[in-house]
Amino acid sequence: MGVNQRAVAALLSCWVLICVVIVETTAFEERQTLDAAVRDRGLRTRRPEHRNAYATMMYMGTPRDYEFYVATRVLIRSLRALHVDADVVVIASLDVPLRWVRSMEEEDGAKVVRVENVENPYKGQRNFNGRFKQTLNKLYAWALSDYDRVVMLDADNLFLQNTDELFQCGQFCAVFINPCIFHTGLFVLQPSMDVFRDMLHELELRRHNPDGADQGFLVSYFSDLLNQPLFHPPTDPSHLLKGHFRLPLGYQMDASYYYLRLRWNIPCGPNSVITFPGAVWLKPWYWWSWPVLPLGLSWHEQRRSTLGYAAEMPLALIQAAFYIGIIVITRLARPTITKLCYRRSERNHSAIQNALKLTAIISIVAAYVLPFFTIPQTIHPLMGWSLYLIGSLSLSSIAINALLLPTLSVLTPWLCITGSLLVMAFPLYQDGVVRALAVFGYAFCSAPFVWVSLVRVMSHLQLLIEKEALFPRLGESGMNSGFSKLY
């Protein structure tokens, strides 16, 4: 009997071993199939260090690729500064420069996943905005199957505190900034290759998508989210909820709410994340975002404490030196219009007057416009506005000295712009409405001064043109020219 028992035990052990081998082989083949499917879409997986991940995406093809690259790096570093218990993943298209990828991986500590761009079948729609052409790459978040939960983010999110409790949410959770439409700037998901493949299939079928971007597609795909319960983090941190949930508004505080009251009043959930939807030129990383938009300085303070401004500083210093040099040179050289020599005649006198007036107007307008486009766009607002004021002052000095224009009249717009910045930056407004009225009132009161200064510039220029001494004729001797100047 002992021999038979040992034989039976040996047979059972062999049977169990064979079953284990079959199961492992089947699982391996399934994993290989999934990996092949993922590779077919261009995804390159990386070994995770945590169970969960914060993810964002980066793609190329817009005029503002560099600015979004900077914003992505600030987001990565701000998350790591909060000591989140999760990986930080960047879903980057294959055309993102390798030097950017290395910076995010080696300097910022992110895990970069390279992907092929998802073909957007909605790009032919009438209301389609071209800058959203590649936003469907966000669907790759469902292919990050090495993680239990993923918090998908846009680059224009400003984190105020750690939000790791979001990893306890269900299969899909998002915030309703609009009363009826959730916002895809932040949402929680449970990665699933089945869901990912189904989404790609729905794209092929051209599922209804109002805006042709990720926002419209996901709102259509998860159309029942409005009827789902509100997310409340379980007391047990290890407990993961099942199903779909609406996230409290505190996880996606629209900056527009702040601009109305100049303070946060979000009673629903923790005030954890600020988002900046809207026009791309109003994103917080541009130097003109503050004091035009009060929250712009908050984003830049986060950048200053994380990424810094080393990339922009050399160009900013060169520009500052250039502008100061212009002021010094134009003041010392002080070229005058008397060096313009031409033969005056009644036939061309009117044309000369018009040309000089047009030149004066163009030079003054250029003095206030050109510096705006030469300053590094993602530099700190205090540095950006300082460069702008120095640049406009230096270019105005060229018009003042070259055309002998009245200094105060030319610099009146400069003084008005400086005053408007002070009005917008004033910190003691009761709310955003009072602030907007103050800015409007200041602009209304400043407009007449700008108009009067322009009239004085034209009158002064007309007076100079009518003086014979300013226009020596060709062939006249230096003595005659000097006599004319005395006259």
Side-chain angles (χ1 to χ4, degrees), residues 204-254:
E204 293 177 356
L205 298 179
R206 291 180 61 88
R207 184 186 185 93
H208 175 65
N209 187 341
D211 59 12
D214 64 292
Q215 174 81 42
F217 178 81
L218 292 176
V219 168
S220 175
Y221 194 87
F222 297 100
S223 58
D224 65 336
L225 191 63
L226 183 61
N227 301 322
Q228 303 307 314
L230 192 67
F231 167 70
H232 296 285
T235 55
D236 181 6
S238 62
H239 180 61
L240 301 182
L241 299 176
K242 302 294 184 181
H244 297 174
F245 293 86
R246 292 177 291 113
L247 291 178
L249 192 59
Y251 290 109
Q252 276 280 266
M253 300 187 297
D254 190 340

Tab-separated table of all heavy atoms in Angstrom, residues 204-254:
chain	number	residue	atom	x	y	z
A	204	GLU	N	-12.676	53.637	-35.597
A	204	GLU	CA	-12.850	53.181	-36.974
A	204	GLU	C	-14.299	53.337	-37.429
A	204	GLU	O	-14.569	53.621	-38.598
A	204	GLU	CB	-12.415	51.726	-37.089
A	204	GLU	CG	-10.916	51.506	-36.879
A	204	GLU	CD	-10.537	50.044	-36.917
A	204	GLU	OE1	-11.465	49.199	-37.023
A	204	GLU	OE2	-9.336	49.731	-36.826
A	205	LEU	N	-15.229	53.154	-36.485
A	205	LEU	CA	-16.648	53.306	-36.807
A	205	LEU	C	-17.096	54.760	-36.771
A	205	LEU	O	-18.282	55.037	-37.024
A	205	LEU	CB	-17.499	52.486	-35.816
A	205	LEU	CG	-17.276	50.973	-35.822
A	205	LEU	CD1	-18.154	50.312	-34.773
A	205	LEU	CD2	-17.561	50.390	-37.205
A	206	ARG	N	-16.166	55.656	-36.455
A	206	ARG	CA	-16.444	57.088	-36.363
A	206	ARG	C	-17.598	57.355	-35.383
A	206	ARG	O	-18.615	57.968	-35.729
A	206	ARG	CB	-16.767	57.682	-37.732
A	206	ARG	CG	-15.592	57.737	-38.661
A	206	ARG	CD	-15.977	58.334	-40.008
A	206	ARG	NE	-16.447	59.691	-39.853
A	206	ARG	CZ	-15.674	60.767	-39.862
A	206	ARG	NH1	-14.366	60.631	-40.018
A	206	ARG	NH2	-16.191	61.969	-39.725
A	207	ARG	N	-17.365	56.923	-34.152
A	207	ARG	CA	-18.338	57.181	-33.099
A	207	ARG	C	-18.595	58.683	-32.990
A	207	ARG	O	-17.699	59.497	-33.228
A	207	ARG	CB	-17.797	56.639	-31.766
A	207	ARG	CG	-18.769	56.762	-30.604
A	207	ARG	CD	-18.094	56.346	-29.306
A	207	ARG	NE	-19.040	56.354	-28.212
A	207	ARG	CZ	-19.731	55.299	-27.807
A	207	ARG	NH1	-19.543	54.121	-28.401
A	207	ARG	NH2	-20.590	55.393	-26.806
A	208	HIS	N	-19.803	59.058	-32.606
A	208	HIS	CA	-20.161	60.476	-32.527
A	208	HIS	C	-19.169	61.229	-31.642
A	208	HIS	O	-18.874	60.821	-30.518
A	208	HIS	CB	-21.566	60.627	-31.952
A	208	HIS	CG	-21.967	62.057	-31.735
A	208	HIS	ND1	-22.132	62.955	-32.767
A	208	HIS	CD2	-22.206	62.754	-30.580
A	208	HIS	CE1	-22.472	64.130	-32.280
A	208	HIS	NE2	-22.523	64.043	-30.956
A	209	ASN	N	-18.658	62.321	-32.173
A	209	ASN	CA	-17.654	63.126	-31.468
A	209	ASN	C	-17.908	64.587	-31.797
A	209	ASN	O	-17.588	65.051	-32.895
A	209	ASN	CB	-16.248	62.710	-31.894
A	209	ASN	CG	-15.157	63.390	-31.089
A	209	ASN	OD1	-15.381	64.414	-30.453
A	209	ASN	ND2	-13.958	62.836	-31.121
A	210	PRO	N	-18.467	65.362	-30.861
A	210	PRO	CA	-18.855	66.749	-31.175
A	210	PRO	C	-17.708	67.643	-31.587
A	210	PRO	O	-17.872	68.498	-32.460
A	210	PRO	CB	-19.493	67.237	-29.863
A	210	PRO	CG	-19.885	66.003	-29.128
A	210	PRO	CD	-18.869	64.980	-29.499
A	211	ASP	N	-16.528	67.497	-30.950
A	211	ASP	CA	-15.421	68.407	-31.246
A	211	ASP	C	-14.276	67.754	-32.005
A	211	ASP	O	-13.310	68.428	-32.355
A	211	ASP	CB	-14.891	69.048	-29.962
A	211	ASP	CG	-14.398	68.019	-28.953
A	211	ASP	OD1	-14.253	66.834	-29.313
A	211	ASP	OD2	-14.153	68.397	-27.792
A	212	GLY	N	-14.332	66.452	-32.247
A	212	GLY	CA	-13.278	65.777	-32.989
A	212	GLY	C	-12.016	65.531	-32.196
A	212	GLY	O	-11.020	65.076	-32.757
A	213	ALA	N	-12.032	65.815	-30.903
A	213	ALA	CA	-10.855	65.652	-30.052
A	213	ALA	C	-11.127	64.590	-28.987
A	213	ALA	O	-12.162	63.920	-28.994
A	213	ALA	CB	-10.482	66.983	-29.411
A	214	ASP	N	-10.177	64.435	-28.053
A	214	ASP	CA	-10.347	63.443	-26.988
A	214	ASP	C	-11.544	63.777	-26.105
A	214	ASP	O	-12.233	62.880	-25.611
A	214	ASP	CB	-9.072	63.373	-26.149
A	214	ASP	CG	-8.780	64.687	-25.424
A	214	ASP	OD1	-8.462	65.683	-26.092
A	214	ASP	OD2	-8.874	64.722	-24.196
A	215	GLN	N	-11.788	65.074	-25.873
A	215	GLN	CA	-12.896	65.484	-25.023
A	215	GLN	C	-14.219	64.934	-25.542
A	215	GLN	O	-14.962	64.254	-24.821
A	215	GLN	CB	-12.953	67.008	-24.948
A	215	GLN	CG	-14.141	67.576	-24.205
A	215	GLN	CD	-13.958	67.563	-22.698
A	215	GLN	OE1	-12.884	67.886	-22.214
A	215	GLN	NE2	-15.001	67.197	-21.979
A	216	GLY	N	-14.523	65.207	-26.795
A	216	GLY	CA	-15.787	64.757	-27.356
A	216	GLY	C	-15.902	63.246	-27.433
A	216	GLY	O	-16.981	62.683	-27.185
A	217	PHE	N	-14.799	62.570	-27.756
A	217	PHE	CA	-14.852	61.111	-27.877
A	217	PHE	C	-15.116	60.455	-26.527
A	217	PHE	O	-15.966	59.565	-26.407
A	217	PHE	CB	-13.545	60.591	-28.467
A	217	PHE	CG	-13.498	59.089	-28.586
A	217	PHE	CD1	-14.103	58.452	-29.658
A	217	PHE	CD2	-12.867	58.322	-27.618
A	217	PHE	CE1	-14.082	57.063	-29.766
A	217	PHE	CE2	-12.829	56.936	-27.717
A	217	PHE	CZ	-13.450	56.300	-28.795
A	218	LEU	N	-14.395	60.865	-25.486
A	218	LEU	CA	-14.560	60.243	-24.177
A	218	LEU	C	-15.923	60.562	-23.571
A	218	LEU	O	-16.524	59.724	-22.894
A	218	LEU	CB	-13.439	60.686	-23.242
A	218	LEU	CG	-12.040	60.167	-23.610
A	218	LEU	CD1	-10.982	60.749	-22.684
A	218	LEU	CD2	-12.006	58.640	-23.547
A	219	VAL	N	-16.415	61.783	-23.782
A	219	VAL	CA	-17.754	62.122	-23.297
A	219	VAL	C	-18.799	61.232	-23.966
A	219	VAL	O	-19.762	60.785	-23.334
A	219	VAL	CB	-18.060	63.611	-23.547
A	219	VAL	CG1	-19.530	63.913	-23.324
A	219	VAL	CG2	-17.210	64.477	-22.636
A	220	SER	N	-18.593	60.944	-25.243
A	220	SER	CA	-19.517	60.054	-25.950
A	220	SER	C	-19.357	58.605	-25.492
A	220	SER	O	-20.348	57.879	-25.343
A	220	SER	CB	-19.275	60.161	-27.459
A	220	SER	OG	-20.066	59.238	-28.177
A	221	TYR	N	-18.125	58.198	-25.237
A	221	TYR	CA	-17.851	56.800	-24.863
A	221	TYR	C	-18.373	56.506	-23.454
A	221	TYR	O	-18.907	55.425	-23.194
A	221	TYR	CB	-16.345	56.534	-24.943
A	221	TYR	CG	-15.967	55.078	-24.904
A	221	TYR	CD1	-15.926	54.320	-26.081
A	221	TYR	CD2	-15.651	54.448	-23.706
A	221	TYR	CE1	-15.575	52.981	-26.054
A	221	TYR	CE2	-15.301	53.103	-23.667
A	221	TYR	CZ	-15.252	52.385	-24.839
A	221	TYR	OH	-14.918	51.049	-24.812
A	222	PHE	N	-18.200	57.446	-22.526
A	222	PHE	CA	-18.685	57.266	-21.153
A	222	PHE	C	-19.887	58.185	-20.928
A	222	PHE	O	-19.891	59.037	-20.043
A	222	PHE	CB	-17.573	57.593	-20.149
A	222	PHE	CG	-16.382	56.678	-20.251
A	222	PHE	CD1	-15.232	57.084	-20.920
A	222	PHE	CD2	-16.399	55.411	-19.685
A	222	PHE	CE1	-14.128	56.247	-21.013
A	222	PHE	CE2	-15.304	54.568	-19.764
A	222	PHE	CZ	-14.169	54.978	-20.439
A	223	SER	N	-20.907	57.988	-21.725
A	223	SER	CA	-22.049	58.895	-21.730
A	223	SER	C	-22.910	58.790	-20.478
A	223	SER	O	-23.757	59.658	-20.233
A	223	SER	CB	-22.921	58.612	-22.963
A	223	SER	OG	-23.346	57.250	-22.963
A	224	ASP	N	-22.732	57.733	-19.661
A	224	ASP	CA	-23.562	57.556	-18.477
A	224	ASP	C	-22.925	58.102	-17.211
A	224	ASP	O	-23.468	57.912	-16.118
A	224	ASP	CB	-23.862	56.063	-18.273
A	224	ASP	CG	-22.594	55.253	-17.973
A	224	ASP	OD1	-21.489	55.724	-18.361
A	224	ASP	OD2	-22.708	54.182	-17.355
A	225	LEU	N	-21.787	58.808	-17.314
A	225	LEU	CA	-21.062	59.208	-16.114
A	225	LEU	C	-21.846	60.196	-15.260
A	225	LEU	O	-21.708	60.210	-14.029
A	225	LEU	CB	-19.701	59.809	-16.502
A	225	LEU	CG	-18.725	60.035	-15.348
A	225	LEU	CD1	-18.339	58.720	-14.693
A	225	LEU	CD2	-17.484	60.786	-15.816
A	226	LEU	N	-22.663	61.020	-15.889
A	226	LEU	CA	-23.414	62.024	-15.132
A	226	LEU	C	-24.334	61.384	-14.097
A	226	LEU	O	-24.623	61.983	-13.061
A	226	LEU	CB	-24.215	62.905	-16.090
A	226	LEU	CG	-25.000	64.066	-15.474
A	226	LEU	CD1	-24.057	65.038	-14.761
A	226	LEU	CD2	-25.808	64.796	-16.534
A	227	ASN	N	-24.785	60.177	-14.352
A	227	ASN	CA	-25.721	59.496	-13.454
A	227	ASN	C	-25.018	58.666	-12.382
A	227	ASN	O	-25.696	57.998	-11.587
A	227	ASN	CB	-26.649	58.579	-14.264
A	227	ASN	CG	-27.457	59.339	-15.300
A	227	ASN	OD1	-27.902	60.456	-15.040
A	227	ASN	ND2	-27.627	58.762	-16.476
A	228	GLN	N	-23.686	58.712	-12.341
A	228	GLN	CA	-22.941	57.892	-11.401
A	228	GLN	C	-22.748	58.632	-10.067
A	228	GLN	O	-22.827	59.864	-10.005
A	228	GLN	CB	-21.585	57.510	-12.001
A	228	GLN	CG	-21.691	56.782	-13.329
A	228	GLN	CD	-22.603	55.570	-13.253
A	228	GLN	OE1	-22.532	54.768	-12.326
A	228	GLN	NE2	-23.486	55.435	-14.253
A	229	PRO	N	-22.461	57.888	-8.990
A	229	PRO	CA	-22.293	58.520	-7.675
A	229	PRO	C	-21.006	59.332	-7.574
A	229	PRO	O	-20.090	59.170	-8.384
A	229	PRO	CB	-22.267	57.322	-6.713
A	229	PRO	CG	-21.808	56.180	-7.549
A	229	PRO	CD	-22.373	56.421	-8.922
A	230	LEU	N	-20.960	60.204	-6.575
A	230	LEU	CA	-19.778	61.032	-6.335
A	230	LEU	C	-18.721	60.216	-5.603
A	230	LEU	O	-19.038	59.428	-4.705
A	230	LEU	CB	-20.162	62.255	-5.511
A	230	LEU	CG	-19.128	63.378	-5.407
A	230	LEU	CD1	-18.927	64.042	-6.761
A	230	LEU	CD2	-19.569	64.415	-4.371
A	231	PHE	N	-17.488	60.417	-5.989
A	231	PHE	CA	-16.377	59.667	-5.391
A	231	PHE	C	-16.048	60.196	-4.002
A	231	PHE	O	-15.874	61.400	-3.808
A	231	PHE	CB	-15.144	59.770	-6.294
A	231	PHE	CG	-13.864	59.312	-5.648
A	231	PHE	CD1	-13.637	57.969	-5.378
A	231	PHE	CD2	-12.879	60.227	-5.305
A	231	PHE	CE1	-12.464	57.541	-4.783
A	231	PHE	CE2	-11.699	59.818	-4.715
A	231	PHE	CZ	-11.485	58.466	-4.455
A	232	HIS	N	-15.965	59.265	-3.029
A	232	HIS	CA	-15.482	59.558	-1.690
A	232	HIS	C	-14.408	58.530	-1.367
A	232	HIS	O	-14.684	57.320	-1.419
A	232	HIS	CB	-16.610	59.491	-0.659
A	232	HIS	CG	-17.675	60.526	-0.868
A	232	HIS	ND1	-17.493	61.851	-0.556
A	232	HIS	CD2	-18.938	60.417	-1.371
A	232	HIS	CE1	-18.591	62.531	-0.842
A	232	HIS	NE2	-19.480	61.687	-1.348
A	233	PRO	N	-13.182	58.945	-1.081
A	233	PRO	CA	-12.110	57.982	-0.841
A	233	PRO	C	-12.449	57.047	0.315
A	233	PRO	O	-12.884	57.498	1.381
A	233	PRO	CB	-10.904	58.867	-0.501
A	233	PRO	CG	-11.237	60.209	-1.049
A	233	PRO	CD	-12.719	60.337	-0.955
A	234	PRO	N	-12.306	55.739	0.136
A	234	PRO	CA	-12.521	54.794	1.241
A	234	PRO	C	-11.515	55.036	2.366
A	234	PRO	O	-10.404	55.510	2.138
A	234	PRO	CB	-12.303	53.422	0.591
A	234	PRO	CG	-12.456	53.652	-0.877
A	234	PRO	CD	-11.992	55.057	-1.118
A	235	THR	N	-11.934	54.705	3.580
A	235	THR	CA	-11.030	54.881	4.723
A	235	THR	C	-9.861	53.921	4.672
A	235	THR	O	-8.774	54.225	5.169
A	235	THR	CB	-11.818	54.675	6.023
A	235	THR	OG1	-12.460	53.390	5.983
A	235	THR	CG2	-12.874	55.760	6.192
A	236	ASP	N	-10.063	52.766	4.041
A	236	ASP	CA	-8.978	51.795	3.885
A	236	ASP	C	-8.196	52.126	2.613
A	236	ASP	O	-8.739	51.981	1.509
A	236	ASP	CB	-9.557	50.386	3.791
A	236	ASP	CG	-8.467	49.314	3.663
A	236	ASP	OD1	-7.270	49.680	3.759
A	236	ASP	OD2	-8.821	48.133	3.469
A	237	PRO	N	-6.948	52.559	2.719
A	237	PRO	CA	-6.198	52.962	1.518
A	237	PRO	C	-5.990	51.841	0.512
A	237	PRO	O	-5.752	52.108	-0.667
A	237	PRO	CB	-4.846	53.435	2.099
A	237	PRO	CG	-5.114	53.719	3.540
A	237	PRO	CD	-6.189	52.764	3.956
A	238	SER	N	-6.076	50.601	0.949
A	238	SER	CA	-5.847	49.475	0.036
A	238	SER	C	-7.114	49.078	-0.719
A	238	SER	O	-7.056	48.251	-1.630
A	238	SER	CB	-5.313	48.276	0.813
A	238	SER	OG	-6.262	47.831	1.776
A	239	HIS	N	-8.247	49.649	-0.353
A	239	HIS	CA	-9.516	49.274	-0.984
A	239	HIS	C	-9.713	50.058	-2.277
A	239	HIS	O	-9.658	51.292	-2.294
A	239	HIS	CB	-10.677	49.535	-0.025
A	239	HIS	CG	-12.019	49.187	-0.598
A	239	HIS	ND1	-12.353	47.912	-0.993
A	239	HIS	CD2	-13.111	49.962	-0.860
A	239	HIS	CE1	-13.578	47.901	-1.461
A	239	HIS	NE2	-14.062	49.137	-1.397
A	240	LEU	N	-9.961	49.345	-3.370
A	240	LEU	CA	-10.192	49.964	-4.674
A	240	LEU	C	-11.669	49.838	-5.024
A	240	LEU	O	-12.237	48.737	-4.978
A	240	LEU	CB	-9.341	49.283	-5.751
A	240	LEU	CG	-7.822	49.292	-5.542
A	240	LEU	CD1	-7.124	48.626	-6.719
A	240	LEU	CD2	-7.318	50.707	-5.358
A	241	LEU	N	-12.261	50.952	-5.391
A	241	LEU	CA	-13.673	50.957	-5.746
A	241	LEU	C	-13.887	50.371	-7.135
A	241	LEU	O	-12.979	50.356	-7.976
A	241	LEU	CB	-14.220	52.382	-5.692
A	241	LEU	CG	-14.162	53.082	-4.325
A	241	LEU	CD1	-14.656	54.514	-4.455
A	241	LEU	CD2	-14.982	52.325	-3.291
A	242	LYS	N	-15.091	49.900	-7.367
A	242	LYS	CA	-15.479	49.361	-8.667
A	242	LYS	C	-16.523	50.276	-9.302
A	242	LYS	O	-17.325	50.907	-8.615
A	242	LYS	CB	-16.069	47.953	-8.511
A	242	LYS	CG	-15.142	46.944	-7.853
A	242	LYS	CD	-13.926	46.657	-8.720
A	242	LYS	CE	-13.061	45.568	-8.073
A	242	LYS	NZ	-11.853	45.291	-8.891
A	243	GLY	N	-16.499	50.337	-10.626
A	243	GLY	CA	-17.498	51.112	-11.340
A	243	GLY	C	-17.010	52.497	-11.733
A	243	GLY	O	-15.815	52.811	-11.689
A	244	HIS	N	-17.951	53.348	-12.141
A	244	HIS	CA	-17.670	54.703	-12.585
A	244	HIS	C	-18.139	55.699	-11.525
A	244	HIS	O	-19.161	55.488	-10.874
A	244	HIS	CB	-18.367	55.004	-13.914
A	244	HIS	CG	-17.894	54.130	-15.038
A	244	HIS	ND1	-18.467	54.147	-16.295
A	244	HIS	CD2	-16.900	53.217	-15.102
A	244	HIS	CE1	-17.851	53.292	-17.075
A	244	HIS	NE2	-16.904	52.706	-16.376
A	245	PHE	N	-17.382	56.824	-11.397
A	245	PHE	CA	-17.705	57.821	-10.386
A	245	PHE	C	-17.468	59.226	-10.938
A	245	PHE	O	-16.603	59.435	-11.804
A	245	PHE	CB	-16.849	57.639	-9.123
A	245	PHE	CG	-17.126	56.388	-8.353
A	245	PHE	CD1	-16.484	55.192	-8.678
A	245	PHE	CD2	-18.045	56.377	-7.317
A	245	PHE	CE1	-16.751	54.024	-7.982
A	245	PHE	CE2	-18.309	55.224	-6.598
A	245	PHE	CZ	-17.659	54.033	-6.933
A	246	ARG	N	-18.243	60.159	-10.424
A	246	ARG	CA	-17.974	61.579	-10.672
A	246	ARG	C	-16.998	62.073	-9.605
A	246	ARG	O	-17.187	61.829	-8.415
A	246	ARG	CB	-19.263	62.399	-10.611
A	246	ARG	CG	-20.229	62.130	-11.736
A	246	ARG	CD	-21.512	62.933	-11.574
A	246	ARG	NE	-22.312	62.466	-10.449
A	246	ARG	CZ	-22.545	63.172	-9.350
A	246	ARG	NH1	-22.025	64.401	-9.214
A	246	ARG	NH2	-23.291	62.689	-8.374
A	247	LEU	N	-15.971	62.789	-10.029
A	247	LEU	CA	-15.000	63.334	-9.080
A	247	LEU	C	-15.470	64.692	-8.573
A	247	LEU	O	-16.064	65.471	-9.328
A	247	LEU	CB	-13.630	63.494	-9.742
A	247	LEU	CG	-12.887	62.206	-10.100
A	247	LEU	CD1	-11.563	62.546	-10.792
A	247	LEU	CD2	-12.629	61.349	-8.872
A	248	PRO	N	-15.228	65.017	-7.299
A	248	PRO	CA	-15.557	66.343	-6.779
A	248	PRO	C	-14.830	67.446	-7.553
A	248	PRO	O	-13.725	67.234	-8.077
A	248	PRO	CB	-15.091	66.287	-5.328
A	248	PRO	CG	-15.079	64.832	-4.989
A	248	PRO	CD	-14.698	64.125	-6.263
A	249	LEU	N	-15.445	68.601	-7.606
A	249	LEU	CA	-14.898	69.713	-8.382
A	249	LEU	C	-13.541	70.172	-7.867
A	249	LEU	O	-12.764	70.792	-8.610
A	249	LEU	CB	-15.888	70.879	-8.364
A	249	LEU	CG	-15.640	72.028	-9.336
A	249	LEU	CD1	-15.641	71.532	-10.771
A	249	LEU	CD2	-16.684	73.114	-9.153
A	250	GLY	N	-13.226	69.869	-6.619
A	250	GLY	CA	-11.935	70.271	-6.074
A	250	GLY	C	-10.743	69.629	-6.751
A	250	GLY	O	-9.607	70.082	-6.574
A	251	TYR	N	-10.974	68.570	-7.537
A	251	TYR	CA	-9.883	67.933	-8.270
A	251	TYR	C	-9.655	68.557	-9.644
A	251	TYR	O	-8.715	68.173	-10.338
A	251	TYR	CB	-10.165	66.434	-8.440
A	251	TYR	CG	-10.068	65.650	-7.150
A	251	TYR	CD1	-11.206	65.138	-6.537
A	251	TYR	CD2	-8.840	65.431	-6.544
A	251	TYR	CE1	-11.122	64.413	-5.354
A	251	TYR	CE2	-8.740	64.710	-5.358
A	251	TYR	CZ	-9.889	64.208	-4.772
A	251	TYR	OH	-9.794	63.499	-3.592
A	252	GLN	N	-10.499	69.475	-10.056
A	252	GLN	CA	-10.322	70.188	-11.329
A	252	GLN	C	-10.930	71.568	-11.176
A	252	GLN	O	-11.982	71.877	-11.755
A	252	GLN	CB	-10.975	69.438	-12.477
A	252	GLN	CG	-10.122	68.349	-13.091
A	252	GLN	CD	-9.095	68.909	-14.062
A	252	GLN	OE1	-9.306	68.984	-15.260
A	252	GLN	NE2	-7.953	69.300	-13.541
A	253	MET	N	-10.300	72.425	-10.414
A	253	MET	CA	-10.831	73.761	-10.172
A	253	MET	C	-10.519	74.654	-11.365
A	253	MET	O	-9.358	74.983	-11.633
A	253	MET	CB	-10.226	74.331	-8.889
A	253	MET	CG	-10.534	73.497	-7.661
A	253	MET	SD	-9.996	74.278	-6.124
A	253	MET	CE	-8.223	74.345	-6.362
A	254	ASP	N	-11.552	75.015	-12.090
A	254	ASP	CA	-11.412	75.878	-13.261
A	254	ASP	C	-10.916	77.257	-12.817
A	254	ASP	O	-11.503	77.889	-11.931
A	254	ASP	CB	-12.752	76.001	-13.966
A	254	ASP	CG	-12.651	76.679	-15.318
A	254	ASP	OD1	-11.646	77.381	-15.557
A	254	ASP	OD2	-13.571	76.524	-16.133
